[in-house]
Amino acid sequence: MRRILITGGAGFIGSHLCERLLKEGNEVICLDNYFTGSKSNIVHLLDNPYFELIRHDVTHPYYVEVDEIYNLACPASPVHYQYNPIKTIKTSVMGAINMLGLAKRIKARILQASTSEVYGDPLEHPQPESYWGNVNPIGVRSCYDEGKRCAESLFLNYHRQNNVDIKIVRIFNTYGPRMHPNDGRVVSNFIVQALKGESITIFGDGSQTRSFQYVDDLLEGMIRMMKSDKSFTGPVNLGNPNEFSMIQLANEIIDITGSKSTIKYLPLPEDDPTQRQPDISLAGRELNNWKPVIQLREGLEKTVAYFDKLLLMES
Ligand code: NAD
Ligand code: UDP
Ligand code: UDP
């Protein structure tokens, strides 16, 4: 039995990770300040004696003894990370320093949840890990993009300088049950709008693309990465290479929900990337042929079922 710390464990991805690692027979400590996460995401785990919940902010030091750390604490949706951009930078940078200091002291392996946003508005397509990216360092998304880039640098430097056992995954757009209904990300927005019969808000002309990964596929990749050989630090891309425009996504969701919603076009937010698709050949080679197995239609159906139930409970 390993003891595992998950920062941001009450969030969308973190709560699924807590659940899965408990199921695999580990002891899990979930640390969160509930900025975007919620106790309701992990309430069903509270009866498990091997699960512990800690209210803490990663920008402050934290002392504990564990075998592994998954560092997920950071708001992920543009609406939330731009709400208090200075705090977002502090969370990424000071959070990384504190968790790396912890990993160094207790000799734990630590995995960083980085992001495809390190590629910015990419000029290379699809994006391999060797691509350095095209990020506006002073734009409205920079608090997140540069915070995550700095965290990657910190991880590699703690590895080189202090021999900390690190792993970095670059996560591409991930969706599934327990996304926050109001968090502003495209999949949750479109599904909630479709279920409520409200207009579906497409930003720009809807031709921009993203590659959407179902949360279970991501978890499998993250856990394989955590278990991989010490010499493989990453960064490694984890995402589903099937790429869709926002118009295609809206139509798919209208089709699944049978909604009568119409499409409303709104201005494109500043620095919104025009395309994004992971090159996952490195993950395939290093992580036992890892590749996503749940495709968009199936993943959306599961997510729609979750939001359908949630909205019924709220009404
Ligand atoms: P989320 O907002 O649901 O989860 C983030 C969690 O971190 C929340 O529970 C939040 O309360 C917590 N948190 C935020 N600031 C904190 C702080 N200072 N101290 C302690 N806890 C704090 O988002 P998510 O989608 O589950 O994302 C989890 C991680 O994965 C993030 O680091 C995010 O950057 C990364 N990621 C997610 C995606 C995606 O598409 N979902 C893509 C790329 C990277
Ligand atoms: N830290 C922590 N928990 C620990 C050990 C360290 O939160 O168990 C924090 C510590 O407060 C410090 C940061 O991690 O601010 C970086 O630690 P490191 O040892 O690298 O640097 P130093 O303490 O020398 O500044
Ligand atoms: N988007 C949209 N309507 C919405 C929310 C988002 O058209 O209601 C677009 C957004 O402009 C972006 C894409 O969907 O081009 C993905 O946005 P999201 O915030 O989910 O993720 P990110 O931009 O961080 O990849």
Side-chain angles (χ1 to χ4, degrees):
M1 182 183 262
R2 284 164 303 156
R3 190 180 304 142
I4 302 174
L5 172 66
I6 303 175
T7 78
F12 156 52
I13 297 172
S15 62
H16 287 280
L17 192 59
C18 288
E19 193 175 285
R20 167 117 183 220
L21 290 171
L22 278 171
K23 243 184 227 151
E24 291 184 359
N26 302 289
E27 200 176 327
V28 170
I29 300 175
C30 166
L31 180 156
D32 210 291
N33 72 347
Y34 307 115
F35 175 48
T36 51
S38 149
K39 281 191 187 158
S40 62
N41 286 337
I42 34 93
V43 70
H44 60 296
L45 305 176
L46 289 175
D47 285 342
N48 188 324
Y50 296 106
F51 182 70
E52 223 176 309
L53 187 56
I54 312 281
R55 180 190 285 267
H56 182 79
D57 187 315
V58 286
T59 60
H60 300 294
Y62 180 65
Y63 291 81
V64 69
E65 317 300 317
V66 293
D67 304 300
E68 293 175 357
I69 304 165
Y70 285 85
N71 188 36
L72 272 65
C74 185
S77 102
V79 175
H80 285 146
Y81 70 64
Q82 288 169 30
Y83 171 74
N84 184 344
I86 297 170
K87 177 71 189 194
T88 300
I89 299 176
K90 285 184 184 169
T91 295
S92 270
V93 176
M94 293 163 68
I97 291 174
N98 286 328
M99 291 307 110
L100 285 162
L102 170 65
K104 183 178 97 177
R105 181 180 63 79
I106 60 176
K107 297 190 173 43
R109 178 169 280 193
I110 179 166
L111 179 145
Q112 167 68 358
S114 190
T115 168
S116 53
E117 283 287 319
V118 301
Y119 302 121
D121 192 1
L123 303 176
E124 208 173 297
H125 196 73
Q127 295 83 52
E129 292 81 355
S130 55
Y131 177 53
W132 289 355
N134 177 38
V135 172
N136 175 354
I138 54 171
V140 291
R141 293 173 85 102
S142 67
C143 57
Y144 184 73
D145 301 6
E146 296 293 7
K148 289 282 189 181
R149 284 166 70 100
C150 182
E152 285 200 10
S153 170
L154 282 162
F155 267 69
L156 261 308
N157 284 311
Y158 267 78
H159 175 65
R160 295 187 195 108
Q161 202 172 319
N162 296 321
N163 203 23
V164 174
D165 186 2
I166 64 144
K167 303 276 169 189
I168 299 173
V169 295
R170 290 184 178 154
I171 303 170
F172 283 66
N173 296 61
T174 302
Y175 69 97
R178 300 203 199 117
M179 291 182 92
H180 197 291
N182 302 322
D183 91 351
R185 281 184 276 192
V186 69
V187 173
S188 41
N189 266 13
F190 284 6
I191 291 179
V192 170
Q193 289 161 345
L195 290 173
K196 287 184 170 169
E198 294 168 357
S199 303
I200 293 193
T201 54
I202 288 189
F203 300 163
D205 64 5
S207 64
Q208 72 272 33
T209 67
R210 294 293 186 272
S211 304
F212 297 104
Q213 160 174 246
Y214 189 68
V215 63
D216 289 359
D217 285 329
L218 169 67
L219 294 191
E220 183 61 34
M222 287 174 90
I223 291 170
R224 286 192 198 189
M225 181 60 173
M226 187 57 114
K227 290 184 178 155
S228 66
D229 197 82
K230 186 173 178 184
S231 61
F232 182 58
T233 60
V236 63
N237 289 338
L238 294 178
N240 188 323
N242 290 337
E243 186 182 357
F244 297 89
S245 70
M246 295 313 106
I247 291 184
Q248 285 175 307
L249 179 71
N251 286 333
E252 194 75 17
I253 289 173
I254 289 173
D255 190 48
I256 293 170
T257 53
S259 173
K260 299 208 162 38
S261 291
T262 52
I263 287 177
K264 178 160 102 187
Y265 289 90
L266 295 174
L268 192 67
E270 200 180 317
D271 290 339
D272 200 276
T274 48
Q275 55 180 4
R276 197 182 279 154
Q277 185 193 37
D279 175 336
I280 57 165
S281 42
L282 180 64
R285 278 199 307 280
E286 295 287 341
L287 307 177
N288 295 327
N289 297 316
W290 175 85
K291 63 171 194 298
V293 293
I294 298 169
Q295 298 311 340
L296 190 67
R297 179 90 191 185
E298 185 188 352
L300 284 178
E301 281 169 355
K302 291 174 196 262
T303 313
V304 165
Y306 166 80
F307 279 111
D308 207 12
K309 217 166 127 191
L310 188 80
L311 295 179
L312 265 178
M313 271 156 50
E314 278 177 5
S315 64

